[in-house]
Amino acid sequence: MATAIVVGGGIGGMAAALALHGRGWSVEVLEQAPEITEVGAGISLWSNALRALDAIGVGDRVRGQAIDGTSAGIRDTRGRWLSRADLAALRERFGTPVILHRAVLLDILRSALPAGALRTGISVREARTDGTVVHSAGTSTADLVVGADGLRSVVRRAVCGAVEPRYAGYTAWRAVVDLADPPANFGETWGRGARFGIAPLKDGRLYCFAVYNAAEHAPGSLDEVRARFAGWPAPIPALLAAADPDTVLHNDIYELPALPTFTAGRIALLGDAAHAMTPNLGQGGCQALEDAVVLARYAADPGGLARYDRERRPRTRMITRRSAQVGVLGQLSAAPLVALRNTVLRLTPASAQLRSMAPVLDWTC
């Protein structure tokens, strides 16, 4: 039986392990965290990601987290619609997207793995192209090593050497909150150099995020974020007031430069370890799920890793570029440019928005 070591127990790592297991591989997932916890944020799963989840057998469970009857789009800081999504057309063309807590998705993936496949509290120190992994519990070897260990990947060093992520110029605060009087409309609000997003979760809570231009590593506090968005339309101030400082997440936003390869020897990179992108299209996790399915499809074939690399690098590079472009528009701060952006958004028909989404969402297994 072919063996695989997956470094990283996040969404991409769990999905890769499950996809490989489904094709007869013996899998072991090494995760440095001592336990997989509830702390986290929401994630958007579009039609391409749902097809990948179908391929590994958990698509229906994830679709069970979908919520019908919501509205979405982009508003300005006076609460006026700049762009309103045609959700009926979106569902007809691409299917219903699902927004859920990352912990829920991880639990679905983890519960489908064989018992004992996940090893927590294991810190990987080095990966080698011959399939050797040096970690805090010793040394392991496998026919395949999957680097799913994120933006600061240790495994990536064996494939591409030292690669420094690029700071996108803005920082993000994310929270999952309860609100006594939840809003009827969801989506994003765009201002000058700042954005705020709201999405409902199946359990009645709300996922929200605040993004604003800032220097890299700039200190900040939740109180400062509350003050920054205090004058924004309801329910934004109420959501920030309800956020728990102990569970809110604060991260500067980074992306990886385009790598020359995702593979070397017996190693394959996926997810953020291969193509960390800004979150502006909601495709980071979706692309990791695609990676997992494609890698499992080819991994056992002669030259299979090279084929995985040829298939995944161009697509993820295209999506990374598009996501960065949306971020540039969303984070404009000069008043004349913001006014022009808002005018263009108001004049762009919903049909054009749907067409622009097709190259990203039309992926099939």
Side-chain angles (χ1 to χ4, degrees):
M1 179 182 292
T3 59
I5 297 171
V6 179
V7 181
I11 291 167
M14 292 281 200
L18 188 54
L20 289 164
H21 172 68
R23 289 180 176 268
W25 289 68
S26 173
V27 296
E28 181 179 55
V29 181
L30 305 180
E31 167 56 42
Q32 67 176 349
E35 59 181 336
I36 308 296
T37 66
E38 164 77 8
V39 174
I43 182 172
S44 301
L45 298 175
W46 295 86
S47 56
N48 54 319
L50 293 170
R51 293 187 194 101
L53 290 164
D54 286 337
I56 59 178
V58 296
D60 287 343
R61 290 187 62 189
V62 172
R63 286 187 179 85
Q65 299 293 318
I67 298 176
D68 293 325
T70 63
S71 63
I74 300 173
R75 296 173 182 263
D76 65 16
T77 52
R78 295 174 63 183
R80 300 171 301 185
W81 287 108
L82 298 175
S83 173
R84 193 163 188 174
D86 185 342
L87 293 183
L90 177 68
R91 293 187 180 104
E92 181 178 355
R93 175 67 177 81
F94 300 112
T96 302
V98 177
I99 300 175
L100 73 168
H101 198 292
R102 287 175 180 266
V104 173
L105 177 57
L106 283 171
D107 187 61
I108 290 171
L109 295 170
R110 178 178 51 191
S111 65
L113 284 173
L118 174 62
R119 298 176 62 191
T120 57
I122 305 294
S123 178
V124 170
R125 298 166 180 164
E126 181 187 2
R128 301 170 187 161
T129 56
D130 65 357
T132 301
V133 176
V134 181
H135 51 77
S136 56
T139 300
S140 304
T141 59
D143 299 304
L144 173 66
V145 175
V146 180
D149 50 339
L151 180 70
R152 310 287 179 181
S153 171
V154 172
V155 179
R156 187 171 63 236
R157 298 175 197 159
V159 177
C160 301
V163 178
E164 290 299 319
R166 296 186 299 229
Y167 181 50
Y170 42 95
T171 194
W173 294 73
R174 295 172 291 160
V176 175
V177 303
D178 289 299
L179 202 62
D181 186 19
N185 294 310
F186 304 94
E188 296 188 19
T189 301
W190 285 17
R192 293 177 58 184
R195 289 174 284 164
F196 197 96
I198 310 168
L201 301 177
K202 183 75 169 180
D203 62 8
R205 294 183 296 173
L206 298 168
Y207 166 54
C208 60
F209 61 86
V211 182
Y212 55 86
N213 295 344
E216 186 177 13
H217 307 310
S221 69
L222 182 55
D223 283 341
E224 291 171 351
V225 178
R226 289 166 175 160
R228 180 184 290 268
F229 289 89
W232 286 46
I236 293 172
L239 285 166
L240 288 171
D244 182 352
D246 292 331
T247 60
V248 69
L249 300 177
H250 178 209
N251 304 100
D252 284 348
I253 302 300
Y254 293 89
E255 65 178 7
L256 278 181
L259 300 184
T261 179
F262 288 174
T263 65
R266 294 183 178 185
I267 298 176
L269 305 174
L270 61 72
D272 283 354
H275 47 70
M277 61 187 67
T278 59
N280 303 299
L281 291 180
Q283 279 291 314
C286 299
Q287 290 307 300
L289 292 168
E290 288 187 20
D291 290 342
V293 170
V294 175
L295 177 60
R297 180 194 305 152
Y298 296 141
D301 298 339
L305 295 191
R307 189 172 180 184
Y308 163 77
D309 179 59
R310 289 194 302 270
E311 184 168 323
R312 295 305 300 162
R313 267 194 305 126
R315 174 164 169 76
T316 56
R317 187 175 298 178
M318 176 269 290
I319 294 172
T320 297
R321 183 172 59 248
R322 285 185 173 218
S323 188
Q325 291 167 348
V326 172
V328 170
L329 289 175
Q331 296 304 126
L332 289 173
S333 58
L337 293 177
V338 169
L340 176 61
R341 176 198 69 190
N342 291 356
T343 299
V344 171
L345 285 172
R346 288 191 185 97
L347 296 176
T348 301
S351 58
Q353 298 174 30
L354 287 177
R355 286 195 300 272
S356 72
M357 297 168 69
V360 176
L361 304 186
D362 274 345
W363 177 88
T364 56
C365 300

